[in-house]
Amino acid sequence: MARVYNFSAGPSCLPEEVLKECAAEMLDCNGTGQSVMEMSHRSSAFEPIIQDAEAMVRKLMNVPDNYKVLFVQGGGSTQFAMVAENLGIKNKKAAYIETGVWAKKAAAEAKKLGVAVDVIASSKDKNYSYIPKVEKISGNYDYAYICFNNTIMGTHYEYIPDTGDIPLVADISSCVLSEPLDVSKFGLLFAGAQKNLAPAGVTLVIIREDLIPEPEACLPGTPTMLAYKTHADNGSMYNTPPCYTIYVLDKVLHWIEKNGGAEGMLKRNKEKADYLYNFLDSSDFYHATTEKGSRSLMNVPFLTKYSDHAADDEAAAAKEKAVNDKFVKEATAAGLVNLKGHRLVGGMRASIYNAMTLDGVKALVEFMKKFAANN
């Protein structure tokens, strides 16, 4: 069967070049006569893989020397707790900007752990279709928290809030290395790998060293595995790390470097996103759900004209659902998969991460034109 164009929000498509390299080395990686899946994480065979992965993160993201690069498990959702347990320890108070599901869940997790959460801004009033403008954050907060790119809502920060001496924490799971980012403006960055870096299973954490507390200084009851120092002191190998995922991540990082690094990814991603948004903005049949000035380059939710009255008209809602279902079914048959929108937005969503090609986006737009003409 021919390869499809995979528009999944995650796990997402990986570069074909990387998949072929992994396939070629499945039975014998680097002349070891074994797969990385079988290697001991303590072995001389695996050590250079994880070391190179860290070195490549530092190189591609220009990570300052006073930051630790960690590979941990548990996905972004575990980071919701780890951030609070490790950083919310002085005043037990944090500022959150609520821009959708993931920022909201992160705030809820901090509250569970006894951190007083101030939601200092929210875009809930318009179903999170924009990023609130909060240029300056001040107060006796242990940290300030944002979700830099919102996968479900398709929004993205076009600015970095000024937090002064307050450490800024950002979830960059769905936009990591899609563009240049000044790491020095953040106290902590984290990213689940399954969108732009690797298969699911590893989470990248970049944390300023002075923010890493001793385990006993974390919030009471913090498990050993949820203390950043546990991982920082053991080179991300306190326990068995997700070795194969780190191996794939290392290969993806080399692919990014080969294709121009973060700057190259931005150029590539902007070309794809502009092509799709320009079509949506000129269409009478479709429209993007996010406001200009807050639009993600990675995740593009869109609705059809049948959504206009669906919220208050039962017949219109049924018609919209039928059209959306038909779109997804026919798109899948055409080799354009995983376009069903999230239930909180509806319609469709095209996730066009680093590995998605311009040809894939063009194929989607051509399909959309034909579908609109027939419906």
Side-chain angles (χ1 to χ4, degrees):
M1 181 178 176
R3 290 274 294 170
V4 296
Y5 289 117
N6 180 10
F7 294 94
S8 171
S12 61
C13 58
L14 287 164
E16 266 193 48
E17 183 179 321
V18 169
L19 292 173
K20 288 174 181 176
E21 283 182 30
C22 294
E25 295 177 356
M26 180 57 72
L27 298 179
D28 179 10
C29 179
N30 297 330
T32 61
Q34 58 186 314
S35 171
V36 178
M37 289 183 182
E38 306 167 295
M39 286 180 184
S40 164
H41 63 295
R42 306 287 183 195
S43 69
S44 59
F46 182 70
E47 187 177 2
I49 294 173
I50 193 169
Q51 288 178 348
D52 191 66
E54 178 181 340
M56 288 301 295
V57 170
R58 289 187 176 277
K59 181 178 182 181
L60 292 172
M61 295 186 71
N62 294 312
V63 179
D65 291 340
N66 63 325
Y67 284 70
K68 289 287 188 182
V69 173
L70 310 175
F71 301 112
V72 300
Q73 298 179 62
S77 295
T78 299
Q79 290 306 302
F80 301 163
M82 285 185 78
V83 165
E85 288 171 322
N86 288 260
L87 272 62
I89 57 179
K90 184 181 178 183
N91 300 307
K92 294 184 173 58
K93 187 177 178 182
Y96 281 70
I97 299 178
E98 186 185 279
T99 51
V101 169
W102 303 115
K104 194 173 180 180
K105 286 190 174 185
E109 198 73 8
K111 286 180 187 176
K112 280 184 187 177
L113 295 164
V115 175
V117 170
D118 281 353
V119 177
I120 59 172
S122 173
S123 51
K124 186 179 180 180
D125 61 319
K126 294 185 179 179
N127 196 30
Y128 305 112
S129 62
Y130 70 99
I131 297 293
K133 193 70 174 177
V134 184
E135 294 183 356
K136 178 73 177 176
I137 300 175
S138 59
N140 62 333
Y141 298 116
D142 291 327
Y143 63 91
Y145 185 103
I146 62 175
C147 183
F148 209 70
N149 188 85
N150 295 275
T151 321
I152 293 173
M153 305 303 177
T155 57
H156 175 268
Y157 278 79
E158 297 299 315
Y159 71 101
I160 298 174
D162 177 5
T163 59
D165 293 332
I166 303 169
L168 179 60
V169 175
D171 176 353
I172 58 170
S173 294
S174 54
C175 62
V176 60
L177 276 170
S178 64
E179 61 185 338
L181 192 63
D182 186 350
V183 173
S184 70
K185 291 186 180 296
F186 300 85
L188 186 153
L189 295 163
F190 69 84
Q194 68 276 11
K195 301 175 189 296
N196 258 347
L197 295 178
V202 69
T203 304
L204 171 67
V205 174
I206 303 172
I207 180 171
R208 209 172 66 212
E209 290 178 352
D210 65 291
L211 297 177
I212 303 174
E214 294 296 327
E216 59 270 20
C218 293
L219 291 182
T222 297
T224 301
M225 282 295 289
L226 297 189
Y228 287 123
K229 192 166 177 60
T230 299
H231 305 281
D233 286 355
N234 291 279
S236 299
M237 291 203 286
Y238 175 78
N239 71 329
T240 307
C243 297
Y244 193 79
T245 310
I246 293 170
Y247 156 80
V248 179
L249 180 146
D250 186 42
K251 288 194 175 295
V252 171
L253 294 175
H254 281 279
W255 175 83
I256 291 173
E257 181 184 44
K258 183 178 173 182
N259 286 276
E263 288 284 359
M265 291 298 104
L266 176 60
K267 181 180 178 182
R268 174 189 179 98
N269 292 328
K270 196 167 185 319
E271 185 178 17
K272 291 182 296 182
D274 284 349
Y275 193 91
L276 182 50
Y277 282 122
N278 287 341
F279 168 71
L280 290 169
D281 290 342
S282 65
S283 174
D284 294 326
F285 189 85
Y286 307 97
H287 60 272
T289 62
T290 51
E291 295 185 8
K292 291 181 179 180
S294 296
R295 287 177 169 179
S296 170
L297 298 181
M298 300 283 93
N299 312 101
V300 185
F302 58 94
L303 304 173
T304 71
K305 65 180 182 180
Y306 295 103
S307 69
D308 294 346
H309 304 288
D312 49 20
D313 185 306
E314 194 172 316
K319 177 64 175 176
E320 181 200 24
K321 183 181 185 306
V323 170
N324 291 347
D325 290 347
K326 185 180 181 185
F327 182 102
V328 172
K329 183 178 179 180
E330 292 184 6
T332 300
L336 308 165
V337 304
N338 294 314
L339 282 161
K340 182 179 173 63
H342 192 276
R343 64 185 180 279
L344 295 178
V345 179
M348 281 64 67
R349 174 179 53 178
S351 291
I352 51 176
Y353 298 116
N354 286 352
M356 175 55 66
T357 62
L358 179 60
D359 284 346
V361 174
K362 287 182 175 180
L364 172 60
V365 169
E366 287 307 306
F367 170 81
M368 291 169 73
K369 288 177 182 177
K370 292 175 184 175
F371 185 87
N374 295 331
N375 290 274

